[in-house]
């Protein structure tokens, strides 16, 4: 077997392994949410039945409701909202922030995120993996762009006394989101209090109190 063939096979294998979403093999593969077939992703609808609305989302100009405990709202535009995104490996979101509101620490298990500040002044940051756990952070102004690498815990905070808005692009049709506080303290059923107490080096009563909020 030639070196070129070996290289080609390795390249192809690596491309498949590292791809976040499967590459399209046709012009489009509009998702069919009614299909009972289970695949990694979503089944394609008959192309002859596809309409312009399958590629359309309206309302990203509208402010989300930030009247909640964290003071933010995320309007997602993924394959769940736009079936035409299926197999295209991309999605987006609008993030609205109340004054001093936060988008709490979270991670996208299947996507890198690139965020642009549309209005306001936003503190952003992400933390590298073990063992370094380095915090990389920056205050962004209107028009600034920042990247959050795939899978890393990251956050945003509105630093102003007015409302702030950001638009994010994500490298998956279905990036997923894991909000750290919710999954640790709000799992169903609860993670045992003694486990969390030892992990966070606090009294179990502190864990119980935090879990009661989720």
């Amino acid at each position: 077997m030639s070196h070129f063939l070996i290289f080609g096979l390795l390249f192809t294998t690596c491309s498949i392994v590292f791809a976040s979403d499967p590459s399209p093999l046709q012009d489009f593969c509009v998702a069919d949410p009614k299909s009972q077939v289970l695949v990694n992703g979503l089944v394609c609808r008959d192309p002859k039945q596809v309409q312009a609305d399958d590629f359309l989302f309206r309302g990203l100009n509208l402010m989300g409701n930030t009247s909640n405990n964290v003071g933010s709202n995320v309007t997602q535009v993924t394959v769940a909202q736009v079936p035409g995104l299926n197999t295209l490996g991309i999605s987006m979101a609008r993030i609205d922030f109340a004054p001093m509101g936060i988008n709490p620490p979270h991670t996208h298990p299947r996507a890198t995120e690139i965020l642009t500040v549309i209005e306001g002044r936003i503190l952003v940051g992400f933390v590298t993996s073990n063992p370094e756990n380095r915090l990389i952070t920056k205050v962004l102004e209107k028009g600034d762009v920042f990247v959050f690498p795939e899978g890393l815990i990251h956050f945003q905070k509105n630093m102003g006394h007015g409302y702030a808005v950001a638009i994010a692009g994500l490298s998956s049709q279905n990036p997923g989101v894991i909000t750290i506080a919710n999954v640790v303290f709000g799992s169903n059923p609860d993670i045992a209090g003694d486990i969390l107490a030892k992990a966070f080096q606090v009294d179990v009563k502190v864990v119980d109190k935090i879990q009661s909020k989720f």
Side-chain angles (χ1 to χ4, degrees):
M1 185 179 293
S2 71
H3 294 300
F4 290 104
L5 181 55
I6 293 173
F7 177 81
L9 290 172
L10 287 173
F11 180 82
T12 302
T13 303
C14 291
S15 298
I16 294 171
V17 169
F18 291 116
S20 292
D21 284 358
S23 298
L25 299 176
Q26 58 277 322
D27 288 343
F28 51 78
C29 171
V30 173
D32 182 2
K34 297 180 181 179
S35 174
Q36 299 300 309
V37 179
L38 300 179
V39 297
N40 182 26
L42 294 166
V43 173
C44 302
R45 189 184 309 169
D46 183 344
K48 295 178 181 178
Q49 298 177 359
V50 169
Q51 303 294 326
D53 283 350
D54 293 319
F55 302 90
L56 174 69
F57 179 89
R58 285 196 169 106
L60 208 62
N61 60 311
L62 301 175
M63 179 180 174
N65 183 7
T66 59
S67 299
N68 51 57
N69 291 335
V70 295
S72 69
N73 182 279
V74 179
T75 303
Q76 295 182 324
V77 186
T78 70
V79 70
Q81 291 78 36
V82 182
L85 285 174
N86 194 34
T87 75
L88 298 184
I90 193 170
S91 60
M92 66 184 301
R94 169 179 172 146
I95 308 104
D96 289 286
F97 299 87
M100 306 307 290
I102 67 167
N103 189 10
H106 63 281
T107 177
H108 302 293
R110 294 179 290 276
T112 292
E113 175 180 343
I114 183 166
L115 178 139
T116 306
V117 178
I118 304 300
E119 194 64 52
R121 189 166 178 260
I122 299 175
L123 171 70
V124 302
F126 65 85
V127 180
T128 62
S129 55
N130 297 348
E132 187 178 23
N133 299 138
R134 179 185 172 200
L135 173 62
I136 296 176
T137 184
K138 191 75 174 177
V139 174
L140 305 183
E141 308 288 346
K142 182 178 179 178
D144 288 348
V145 176
F146 198 82
V147 174
F148 305 101
E150 181 174 338
L152 295 187
I153 294 172
H154 58 283
F155 61 87
Q156 299 103 31
K157 178 183 179 181
N158 180 6
M159 299 297 287
H161 297 290
Y163 286 89
V165 183
I167 296 292
L170 299 114
S171 62
S172 173
Q173 67 182 42
N174 180 27
V177 60
I178 300 172
T179 305
I180 307 306
N182 293 44
V183 299
V184 173
F185 296 106
S187 65
N188 184 22
D190 288 341
I191 298 174
D194 64 312
I195 294 174
L196 295 180
K198 184 167 288 188
F200 286 92
Q201 297 294 290
V202 297
D203 189 275
V204 69
K205 292 181 180 178
V206 175
V207 172
D208 292 340
K209 184 176 181 180
I210 297 174
Q211 285 181 324
S212 70
K213 296 180 181 295
F214 291 90

